[in-house]
């Protein structure tokens, strides 16, 4: 196969996939006859060829995918009226702490936030696929160490954690939330293209969902009793 044929196959595979495709998975299209370095070069060329169009090719933590460009995705909202889930400030703060301080224990999070972290907050983030247990701290009780997942990076539109917005160490949680609030992930629409995601630096606004209020209220009650 010549270069143009390889790029056409890559383009077709990525346009019709609902999930990001890794380089290793894309190599199977050519029975591993195209090397990983060559494949990455062709993917970069393909990305360049789509720049400035309504659909763009992006590289994420788990692979490559096509998505609608940010400046046009807002116009497509009426075609996909389903609202993304909204999360409470407690959930957003907990996620921000894990993202920036990982690996952390639940106790570490409580020390930073100054309130008890309810089990529902942790479960919400685990169910969303944004955090997971990545080990255990070698202290009494061996508490779980929490970290973010590849799904978190994909939903943030990032390849690595180093792409998170930088924050000054002395800034408080309220400033952190204003500067770098985690993205509300959008569910993939019922099409071959995934709706575009705004950069992580453009988000982190506190959004309160009535369904999540119980978690915050539980924290408040537990703090009062303590």
């Amino acid at each position: 196969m010549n270069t143009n044929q390889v790029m056409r196959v890559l383009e077709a595979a990525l346009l019709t996939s609902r999930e990001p495709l890794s380089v290793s998975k894309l190599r199977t299209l050519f029975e591993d006859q195209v090397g990983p370095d060559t494949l990455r070069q062709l993917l970069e060329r393909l990305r360049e060829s789509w720049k400035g169009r309504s659909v763009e090719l992006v590289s994420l933590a788990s692979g490559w995918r096509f998505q609608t460009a940010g400046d046009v995705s807002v116009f497509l909202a009426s075609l996909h009226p389903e609202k993304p889930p909204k999360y409470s400030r407690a959930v957003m703060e907990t996620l921000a702490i894990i993202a920036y301080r990982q690996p952390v224990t639940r106790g570490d999070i409580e020390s930073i936030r100054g309130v008890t972290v309810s089990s529902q907050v942790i479960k919400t983030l685990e169910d969303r696929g944004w955090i997971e247990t990545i080990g255990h701290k070698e202290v009494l009780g061996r508490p779980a160490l929490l970290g973010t997942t590849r799904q978190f990076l994909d939903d943030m539109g990032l390849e690595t954690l180093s792409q998170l917005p930088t924050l000054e160490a002395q800034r408080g949680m309220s400033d952190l939330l204003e500067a770098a609030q985690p993205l509300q992930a959008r569910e993939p629409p019922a099409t071959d293209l995934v709706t575009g995601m705004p950069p992580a630096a453009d988000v982190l606004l506190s959004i309160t969902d009535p369904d999540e209020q119980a978690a915050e209220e539980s924290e408040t009650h537990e703090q009062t009793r303590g």
Side-chain angles (χ1 to χ4, degrees), residues 64-189:
W64 294 72
R65 77 174 178 201
F66 275 105
Q67 63 185 34
T68 53
D71 61 331
V72 300
S73 61
V74 63
F75 296 98
L76 306 184
S78 60
L79 298 177
H80 311 291
E82 297 83 5
K83 299 283 186 184
K86 293 182 179 180
Y87 301 102
S88 70
R89 186 178 185 84
V91 171
M92 291 289 93
E93 286 186 356
T94 300
L95 177 60
I97 292 169
I98 295 172
Y100 282 93
R101 301 291 185 88
Q102 61 185 300
V104 294
T105 66
R106 187 165 163 176
D108 295 330
I109 299 169
E110 292 174 347
S111 296
I112 294 171
R113 292 195 65 228
V115 295
T116 301
V117 178
S118 73
S119 299
Q120 184 58 40
V121 167
I122 300 298
K123 185 176 186 302
T124 296
L125 293 171
E126 289 176 333
D127 289 347
R128 190 62 187 81
W130 282 344
I131 67 168
E132 63 183 353
T133 298
I134 59 177
H136 291 83
K137 193 171 185 177
E138 294 303 324
V139 295
L140 184 64
R142 301 187 73 245
L145 288 168
L146 302 172
T148 54
T149 64
R150 283 193 174 186
Q151 182 66 52
F152 166 78
L153 290 174
D154 286 349
D155 288 347
M156 299 303 112
L158 305 173
E159 288 187 77
T160 66
L161 288 169
S162 64
Q163 294 175 331
L164 282 168
T166 57
L167 301 168
E168 297 173 5
Q170 68 270 26
R171 298 179 69 180
M173 278 304 302
S174 60
D175 291 332
L176 184 153
L177 288 170
E178 291 175 4
Q181 189 139 2
L183 256 144
Q184 297 296 311
R186 298 178 185 174
E187 296 300 328

Side-chain angles (χ1 to χ4, degrees), residues 22-36:
S22 65
V23 169
S24 60
K25 195 162 188 177
L26 288 168
R27 286 190 68 198
T28 63
L29 297 170
F30 313 101
E31 298 181 347
D32 292 335
Q33 294 181 19
V34 180

